[in-house]
Amino acid sequence: MMLKGKIRVSSDKSISHRALILSSIAEGKTYIKDLLKSRDTDCTMQALRMLGVSIYQKDEYVVVEGQGKFSLREPADVLNLGNSGTGMRLLAGLASGTDFMTILTGDESLRKRPMERIVEPLRTMGARIDGRENGKVPPLVIRGKYPLNGIRYEMPVASAQVKSAILLAGLFSQGEVEIREPLPSRNHTEIMLRNMDVDVECVKNLIRLGSNRTLHSPGCIEIGADISSAAYFMVAAALIPHSQVLFEDMVLNPTRTGILDVFRMMNVEFEIINNREVNGEKIGNVAVCYSPHIKGVSLEKSIIPRIIDEIPIICILASCAEGKTIIKNASELRYKECDRIKAMVENLTRLGIRCEELPDGIIIEGGTLKGGKINTYHDHRIAMSFAIASLVSNDNIILNDTSSIDTSYPMFFSHLKSLTKF
Ligand code: S3P
């Protein structure tokens, strides 16, 4: 068995959330082309509808009837963001600038995830926020205020969700809004805001909102393919002899391409072709082929935010590499859809891989993936990583549940099938 052919994987999840949210408060209609269809983005779309936004499908577009940032209305019910941390944190920022009450909840996993990181700065900006454990975990009750106070915020963790929540709230402030990140995290919010005429200034790790905070629809937003979704098939192509896959229309924003830097360090053979720019985002094709000399790597702290969602699949690659892989400074992984450090160590150990759990990472000794039973912890990225491990192993690897994959990549198995050749 090998992977061969070309594929346009599903659209970028981070950009899809932002396209829906920002067009909802922009002035004018936005036609979104290639919006990701997934459980997470459906939750965000539904929540925006409950805030009074008209969103509908027209031919190949999702149309958002933006009526400006003051057009939102108090929702008649609780907004349920399902499994989506991005949906909840970004909408918390948006709700903070309204003049009404919004209640945000989610599934069992989301209701365990840390919200203090957004609640604290949003309270500083003047929003009244309550929630379980005094706002540490959802449900969150947000009573918005207009105008919000300005803020100068030094982020304790590099998080695009926190940065974006503050920027969204900042649109409803007349004061200074300045955010400093410890390390650069994905910057899709900044790019899209700029594309909608908002002044956003970025100098190194400092992001500042200028005086124009009114969003105008760019008319059309075209969304490229998600490198975090492609990463699974890229690793499979690198590990399975005779494979060669061309990934089309990939978002190659440098804040997202850490996986390609890791590939370079681990001797994965790939090539970038046909670079272009769409709506301020870099797009290109990436060809990946079977790579017989994959080696372990020790990852620097600065790359971690740029590979945060790809670490589970990097762990699969490391399990099949020659030598040791060391991943540290990644304690954020413990606060994702599940504790991904624990889930990877436990499951890789079951497959006969020698690995060590660190408080903030994992050390993996490359070897051979044996058969075994996997607990996916209802986390899409754990499920997709071990689905790829099952292709690479000569033994049977059985996953207890794969339904979580629908949160980000409902087409995962059908895309995989289309690439599989015997
Ligand atoms: C995301 C940011 C990341 C990432 C998540 C999507 C986003 O989370 O893990 O899957 O769209 O802003 P953090 O910003 O909390 O690290």
Side-chain angles (χ1 to χ4, degrees):
M1 189 279 269
M2 66 188 115
L3 296 194
K4 268 226 172 330
K6 56 182 182 183
I7 184 115
R8 200 277 186 195
V9 301
S10 291
S11 288
D12 191 273
K13 179 152 76 76
S14 292
I15 300 178
S16 294
H17 280 293
R18 287 155 174 82
L20 286 167
I21 295 172
L22 296 184
S23 337
S24 290
I25 52 167
E27 293 179 0
K29 223 187 244 193
T30 304
Y31 288 79
I32 308 177
K33 187 161 180 287
D34 295 324
L35 182 83
L36 170 67
K37 296 244 176 307
S38 70
R39 230 167 20 215
D40 276 11
T41 42
D42 280 352
C43 286
T44 293
M45 187 162 18
Q46 192 48 30
L48 289 164
R49 287 193 178 119
M50 288 174 72
L51 286 161
V53 186
S54 165
I55 306 176
Y56 53 90
Q57 186 83 35
K58 189 162 190 245
D59 304 326
E60 75 228 81
Y61 300 99
V62 170
V63 184
V64 181
E65 301 249 11
Q67 311 244 10
K69 63 184 180 185
F70 300 112
S71 64
L72 304 178
R73 297 285 166 263
E74 185 170 83
D77 204 347
V78 173
L79 308 186
N80 191 333
L81 279 312
N83 195 241
S84 178
T86 307
M88 176 164 295
R89 295 196 178 108
L90 269 56
L91 288 180
L94 182 64
S96 294
T98 65
D99 58 1
F100 51 75
M101 183 182 80
T102 307
I103 307 176
L104 303 167
T105 192
D107 69 8
E108 200 181 324
S109 151
L110 186 53
R111 278 183 279 113
K112 286 187 194 135
R113 294 181 65 186
M115 292 297 147
E116 206 175 17
R117 51 181 64 195
I118 51 156
V119 168
E120 192 234 322
L122 294 175
R123 277 180 181 155
T124 306
M125 295 179 83
R128 281 193 293 151
I129 306 183
D130 209 338
R132 286 196 306 134
E133 297 176 28
N134 189 25
K136 285 198 177 66
V137 281
L140 297 178
V141 180
I142 301 179
R143 283 170 211 277
K145 182 183 138 186
Y146 182 82
L148 287 164
N149 312 323
I151 189 168
R152 278 192 157 172
Y153 195 65
E154 188 100 25
M155 296 197 338
V157 285
S159 161
Q161 295 177 357
V162 175
K163 174 175 63 176
S164 302
I166 300 172
L167 284 173
L168 279 160
L171 299 172
F172 298 88
S173 149
Q174 288 162 355
E176 204 175 355
V177 175
E178 200 179 278
I179 309 164
R180 194 181 292 275
E181 313 190 78
L183 287 169
S185 65
R186 63 193 72 191
N187 61 353
H188 307 301
T189 306
E190 297 90 306
I191 290 174
M192 201 177 286
L193 280 174
R194 240 183 258 128
N195 217 33
M196 293 188 173
D197 302 336
V198 174
D199 299 332
V200 191
E201 206 183 294
C202 303
V203 187
K204 285 192 185 154
N205 296 356
L206 191 79
I207 302 112
R208 197 180 289 124
L209 276 185
S211 54
N212 185 15
R213 299 179 189 180
T214 302
L215 297 78
H216 297 114
S217 165
C220 179
I221 298 177
E222 215 177 305
I223 303 177
D226 197 327
I227 197 159
S228 302
S229 295
Y232 302 97
F233 302 144
M234 289 178 169
V235 167
L239 290 176
I240 302 171
H242 312 296
S243 295
Q244 184 157 24
V245 179
L246 179 70
F247 296 88
E248 295 180 305
D249 290 344
M250 300 306 314
V251 172
L252 297 176
N253 176 322
T255 63
R256 296 290 298 284
T257 51
I259 181 79
L260 299 180
D261 298 341
V262 173
F263 282 170
R264 231 168 256 128
M265 292 184 262
M266 295 181 80
N267 283 342
V268 170
E269 293 169 31
F270 71 94
E271 205 183 336
I272 298 174
I273 314 148
N274 195 13
N275 255 320
R276 54 200 183 277
E277 206 175 291
V278 179
N279 299 119
E281 294 281 359
K282 279 202 180 113
I283 307 275
N285 297 348
V286 182
V288 182
C289 65
Y290 171 59
S291 312
H293 306 295
I294 295 168
K295 61 178 173 77
V297 68
S298 184
L299 295 176
E300 294 283 327
K301 183 177 179 175
S302 59
I303 201 171
I304 299 298
R306 297 175 56 239
I307 54 168
I308 195 69
D309 291 339
E310 290 71 71
I311 292 177
I313 190 64
I314 290 172
C315 290
I316 301 295
L317 185 63
S319 303
C320 304
E322 177 142 357
K324 200 185 266 187
T325 292
I326 305 173
I327 302 169
K328 290 183 183 171
N329 302 294
S331 48
E332 273 297 298
L333 289 178
R334 296 206 183 269
Y335 309 106
K336 295 296 175 186
E337 286 80 332
C338 78
D339 177 342
R340 288 182 178 160
I341 295 179
K342 180 171 166 270
M344 289 313 294
V345 170
E346 184 189 302
N347 285 316
L348 286 176
T349 306
R350 285 187 190 159
L351 302 185
I353 298 296
R354 282 173 49 205
C355 52
E356 187 188 334
E357 178 170 355
L358 306 173
D360 64 344
I362 175 168
I363 300 178
I364 297 171
E365 201 64 70
T368 305
L369 289 164
K370 306 233 166 56
K373 286 192 175 149
I374 297 301
N375 184 348
T376 64
Y377 288 96
H378 217 73
D379 179 327
H380 56 138
R381 302 212 186 275
I382 302 296
M384 289 189 275
S385 297
F386 284 96
I388 297 304
S390 77
L391 299 179
V392 176
S393 173
N394 289 323
D395 303 322
N396 272 339
I397 295 178
I398 297 159
L399 280 59
N400 66 332
D401 173 57
T402 56
S403 60
S404 56
I405 293 176
D406 287 352
T407 61
S408 65
Y409 197 177
M411 299 294 282
F412 178 78
F413 285 112
S414 74
H415 282 177
L416 178 58
K417 196 171 162 211
S418 76
L419 288 173
T420 305
K421 304 279 151 44
F422 293 95

